[in-house]
Structure formats: structure tokens, C-alpha cells
Amino acid sequence: MAGKLFLCATPIGNLEDITFRVLRTLKEVDLIAAEDTRNSIKLLNHFEIKTPMTSYHEYNKIEKAYQLVAKLREGKNIALITDAGTPGISDPGEELVRICLEEGIEVTSLPGPAACITALTMSGQPTRRFAFEAFLPREKKERAAVLEELKNETRTIILYEAPHHLVKTLKELYEVLGNRKLTICKELTKRYENATVTTLEEVQNRYTDEEPRGEHVLVIAGKTREELQEEKQQAWNELTIEEHMAHYESQGIDRKEAMKLVAKDRGISKRDVYQELLK
């Protein structure tokens, strides 16, 4: 029988956050695939885990995945761990999971810490709906496209950012998203854990005298539907009634139906549209 891949969540700071199930699994599997073996050996040594390790990271994620699948086919059980948190979340582990499932290998996930969820729950921002973007792309064109997509996002937005890019990212977010409510979380689960509730406008002054340190999680309030509706209505109101009508009629919509749509867009009655057109 083929072995099984175990996705094992590891602490994001506080070592006490590891589960009994993860500890037992790490001791029982035949091999541990780790994002950075130099980092993970500290964790294994702390818990006196002697299981052999191999590296699995961004730069070998496809080739190494097939090597691991071959071992799984031989009946070996493998645990996948990342530097911190849950494998597969903003992590090359997603490729290993995909390939294993394509190859018919069983995969199971052992729940545990994830920085995005930890930050969200303590942020004070709405939690029912959220969009996790991890790190914004570094490539300029792709980054601009993602920011533009987030501009009208109504869900709470969660981003990761490194300290040396934080100030620039906060400035870009303010320029594109406007002044949103924001919670900045850092040092999660550690001694100096901190969550600061602020706004994208207020935070511009914070780092003039303070140098950012540590990984940050940004939890940003989404745009309300009321704000979206107001913006749409404002855009429509910048058109004349004739231009607004032409927008719909150019799509093959008949005049009567176009008048209904124009009235709805502008928050006025169909009669008002008719009167304007008569003028």
C-alpha cells in the first residue's frame, strides 16, 4: 500500500502551540519534508524528534515533489512542515499536495497555527468574509493589477509584509484603496505580540520615527456595499442622461428598458429620465 502525506502545522512563534497529534505524527512518519531544514532542526531538537529530514522548498518544489511521491508509492509516510504555520498556505506545499492527489496519494491535514487566521481573529475587523492575498507580487505590473482588484473588495483583506517593504506597501495601499480601517499585527504568539487598530491614513506617520521590525500581517477592512453603490452612482451622474442612455442602447438594449436601467443607476424615476430626454 502507498503511504500518506501528512500536512503538519507548526508554531508561528510560541512552541507551546504545537499539537499532540502533530508531535506524534512527526515521530512516527518515515520522513519529514521541511521548507528549511536548518530552521526546522531547532523545532525537532526541542521536542526530541529524531525522524530524518529532507528539504522541500520553492526552488525544488516540482522535481522534489515527484521524488517524494516515489517514496510514498513505496509505502513510506511523509510529513510536510513549513518554516512556521500551516503547509500549503502561501507556501510551496500546495504544489506537493496537488501532485500527490493527481498521483492518487492520500493527503491529510493536521490543523494548527496559521498567521492569517490568528491575525484575523484578533484584529477587530469583520471576520465572516475575508480575502487572503499573502504577500503582494513584487513585479510592478502584476502588483498594480492585484491592488486594482482589491480596490473594490468588500471582504476583509489579509496581507503579509516584511519589515523592509512595509512603509512602501502601506503607502501604495492608501493611494489605491483610500482611507480604510486597518489592524497591523506583528510578533504573533510571541512575547511582544502586538495588534494596532488604525487607518491607512493615520499609519503613514507612524513609521517616520519608528523602524518596522518582524513580519507583519495587515488586516484591512473591505469597502462597504453602500460605498460601492455611492461610487457607481457618482460615476453615472457624471454622464448626461443622453450619454447614459447611449451606454445601454449601444449594447442592443431597447429604449424602454434602457430608461429603466438609467433610472435605477441614478436613483431617480423613469419619468424623470423621460422628462430629461424631452428637453
Side-chain angles (χ1 to χ4, degrees):
M1 289 181 61
K4 183 188 291 189
L5 177 68
F6 296 84
L7 307 177
C8 294
T10 54
I12 58 177
N14 193 320
L15 292 179
E16 293 180 2
D17 290 334
I18 200 162
T19 69
F20 291 124
R21 185 180 173 205
V22 166
L23 287 175
R24 176 176 56 79
T25 300
L26 292 177
K27 290 175 181 178
E28 292 179 351
V29 293
D30 300 291
L31 181 67
I32 296 172
E35 185 175 8
D36 186 338
T37 55
R38 296 166 301 178
N39 181 65
S40 295
I41 193 64
K42 300 171 188 175
L43 177 75
L44 300 190
N45 285 342
H46 180 83
F47 291 107
E48 299 181 350
I49 297 169
K50 307 297 184 183
T51 308
M53 266 198 304
T54 188
S55 63
Y56 178 79
H57 48 72
E58 182 65 28
Y59 303 104
N60 69 357
K61 62 184 179 182
I62 302 299
E63 178 187 359
K64 191 61 173 282
Y66 286 104
Q67 294 176 21
L68 294 174
V69 165
K71 293 182 182 297
L72 287 159
R73 287 198 180 284
E74 294 171 2
K76 295 187 183 299
N77 291 318
I78 298 176
L80 176 68
I81 60 175
T82 184
D83 282 348
T86 301
I89 303 294
S90 184
D91 170 81
E94 66 177 324
E95 294 293 345
L96 178 57
V97 171
R98 177 183 61 79
I99 291 169
C100 280
L101 293 176
E102 288 175 355
E103 298 291 325
I105 301 296
E106 187 178 356
V107 178
T108 188
S109 183
L110 282 59
C116 55
I117 300 300
T118 303
L120 176 64
T121 55
M122 64 186 287
S123 69
Q125 306 298 343
T127 60
R128 189 178 71 85
R129 301 167 63 248
F130 60 92
F132 175 56
E133 283 291 336
F135 289 93
L136 288 172
R138 292 293 167 217
E139 196 278 316
K140 192 173 180 180
K141 190 172 180 181
E142 187 183 359
R143 186 181 180 90
V146 171
L147 286 169
E148 190 61 29
E149 289 173 1
L150 294 177
K151 187 175 182 178
N152 292 322
E153 178 59 70
T154 59
R155 295 170 294 178
T156 298
I157 302 164
I158 306 173
L159 300 173
Y160 291 160
E161 192 50 278
H164 51 288
H165 291 303
L166 182 64
V167 174
K168 178 187 174 186
T169 296
L170 288 169
K171 184 180 179 182
E172 284 180 296
L173 289 167
Y174 177 63
E175 290 171 351
V176 177
L177 307 184
N179 191 27
R180 304 279 188 90
K181 290 180 181 178
L182 162 77
T183 303
I184 300 180
C185 301
K186 65 176 184 177
E187 297 293 297
L188 289 172
T189 77
K190 299 177 185 177
R191 182 178 180 182
Y192 297 107
E193 175 182 272
N194 179 265
T196 303
V197 181
T198 180
T199 68
L200 285 172
E201 182 177 33
E202 290 173 357
V203 81
Q204 300 300 308
N205 299 321
R206 175 175 175 180
Y207 295 107
T208 52
D209 300 317
E210 177 186 340
E211 183 182 353
R213 295 179 182 277
E215 297 291 330
H216 290 68
V217 184
L218 311 180
V219 186
I220 306 164
K223 184 174 285 186
T224 66
R225 289 191 173 88
E226 290 75 15
E227 288 172 329
L228 273 179
Q229 186 57 39
E230 286 175 10
E231 288 178 5
K232 286 181 181 178
Q233 189 165 325
Q234 183 178 350
W236 288 126
N237 288 339
E238 290 175 0
L239 300 176
T240 65
I241 295 288
E242 289 83 358
E243 289 170 335
H244 203 156
M245 286 288 293
H247 168 77
Y248 286 118
E249 289 179 318
S250 66
Q251 300 173 42
I253 297 171
D254 66 55
R255 194 163 181 77
K256 188 175 179 181
E257 184 61 28
M259 288 173 67
K260 284 184 184 178
L261 293 171
V262 169
K264 182 179 179 182
D265 290 342
R266 301 174 86 93
I268 59 179
S269 70
K270 185 179 171 184
R271 180 178 178 80
D272 291 336
V273 176
Y274 180 72
Q275 291 296 330
E276 282 295 319
L277 290 173
L278 284 179
K279 291 179 185 178

